[in-house]
Amino acid sequence: MRAKRCAGYGPGLPPVLAALGLLPVLGVLLVLAVLPPRPPAPATPLEPAGTDTSVPVVGRTWPVGSRPAVLRGWEPPATVYGRGHRGVDLAAPAGTPVRAVAAGRVSFAGRVAGKGAVSVALTGTDLRTTYEPVTASVDKGAEVEAGEVIGTVDPTGSHCTTACVHWGLRRGETYLDPLSLLPPWLLRRGPSRLLPVLGVPLPQLRAVVPPGWRR
């Protein structure tokens, strides 16, 4: 005696699946299986958030590392005492060397509200950069060059959820975006590429003849 087929379903569908009404679900799964994977979204290049073009691009290095992760960017407050983020938080483990991004004179090196901080007045400008929490290795009044180590990251005192350096930029009492100091080649650093050298003659190669060998 033949088993009865469930009405409305194909002959190849098991009666249990037909009874559970899983045919539409199987159809959706089959469609998803044949769809091509979605390509990943292209990475957004890091750009300064500030619009003050009066900030000179004098930076020659990142304060920490070669391309540190930006945990939080600059968020200018609407008012002097308004909420915002008056700098940039860069991920850096405790003990990481902190470098001056540009040449200048150390205007402060010590502790503020229990946190170590270093401030550098940039040469030829009315700007100064700040770094905290940092254990200073320089004294107030010292002249520093771009890339010179001015301290190390403190293990405590950071307002980040992980170890970081808060990097700030000020003109007087006005906070600016410190990323504006960095040139595009530092903000968008990619893999190194060898470029062709044009206008230079190739060197003349000479064959090396083993001793005692004759033509």
Side-chain angles (χ1 to χ4, degrees), residues 98 110-111 115-118 131-136 150-154 165:
V98 179
R111 305 193 73 81
K115 294 190 298 185
V118 178
Y131 313 84
E132 60 180 54
V134 173
T135 298
I150 58 176
T152 55
V153 179
D154 277 348
V165 168

Side-chain angles (χ1 to χ4, degrees), residues 105-215:
R105 179 188 294 270
V106 177
S107 57
F108 179 84
R111 305 193 73 81
V112 178
K115 294 190 298 185
V118 178
S119 181
V120 178
L122 304 184
T123 302
T125 74
D126 56 353
L127 303 170
R128 66 183 186 276
T129 56
T130 57
Y131 313 84
E132 60 180 54
V134 173
T135 298
S137 59
V138 291
D139 298 322
K140 180 179 178 179
E143 296 284 348
V144 295
E145 297 295 330
E148 185 174 340
V149 175
I150 58 176
T152 55
V153 179
D154 277 348
T156 59
S158 170
H159 58 235
C160 304
T161 57
T162 182
C164 78
V165 168
H166 179 82
W167 174 32
L169 176 66
R170 296 175 67 176
R171 173 182 285 126
E173 298 302 318
T174 302
Y175 290 88
L176 304 170
D177 185 3
L179 292 181
S180 301
L181 292 170
L182 299 182
W185 65 269
L186 268 178
L187 292 171
R188 305 188 187 95
R189 173 172 291 178
S192 301
R193 294 184 300 170
L194 294 178
L195 299 179
V197 179
L198 303 178
V200 178
L202 294 175
Q204 298 295 325
L205 300 179
R206 295 182 179 180
V208 178
V209 179
W213 185 84
R214 294 182 179 179
R215 287 186 175 181

